[in-house]
Amino acid sequence: MYSDLNKVVAFLVDHPSFYLRISGHTDSNGDAASNMKLSQRRAEAIKKYVVDKGKIPDKRIEAKGYGSTMPIVEEKTQADRAINRRVEFEIFKPSASR
């Protein structure tokens, strides 16, 4: 995943007016509260990597965990659960009113 993360870092370094939103997700196995904490830790770990690697100001990056509340697929198999365990990135340019 470092190759993909390094591309995100490079983009943010080259485009200082853009921001990054990181969303952490889990599958539905386990306790909902624990999954929420785990997904937040995943998002925060990615944020730390991006901040440290690119010397990106902390305020340009949001990290939020969603636990298992936003699945991509219905979990019928281990492969389905693996798909739902993920981190998503949204690169955006804030509006002037923000």
Side-chain angles (χ1 to χ4, degrees), residues 1-63:
M1 182 173 209
Y2 290 113
S3 172
D4 292 333
L5 286 176
N6 290 338
K7 290 175 187 174
V8 171
V9 170
F11 181 89
L12 291 172
V13 168
D14 290 345
H15 299 88
S17 63
F18 282 80
Y19 286 58
L20 175 64
R21 186 173 293 127
I22 304 165
S23 303
H25 303 271
T26 66
D27 62 29
S28 63
N29 279 348
D31 175 67
S34 295
N35 282 341
M36 195 63 73
K37 290 176 187 174
L38 173 61
S39 64
Q40 183 65 41
R41 286 194 311 266
R42 282 185 181 154
E44 291 291 340
I46 299 296
K47 177 178 179 175
K48 180 178 180 348
Y49 180 86
V50 172
V51 167
D52 292 350
K53 181 80 174 178
K55 308 297 185 242
I56 308 291
D58 185 70
K59 67 182 181 181
R60 287 180 58 199
I61 304 172
E62 300 172 22

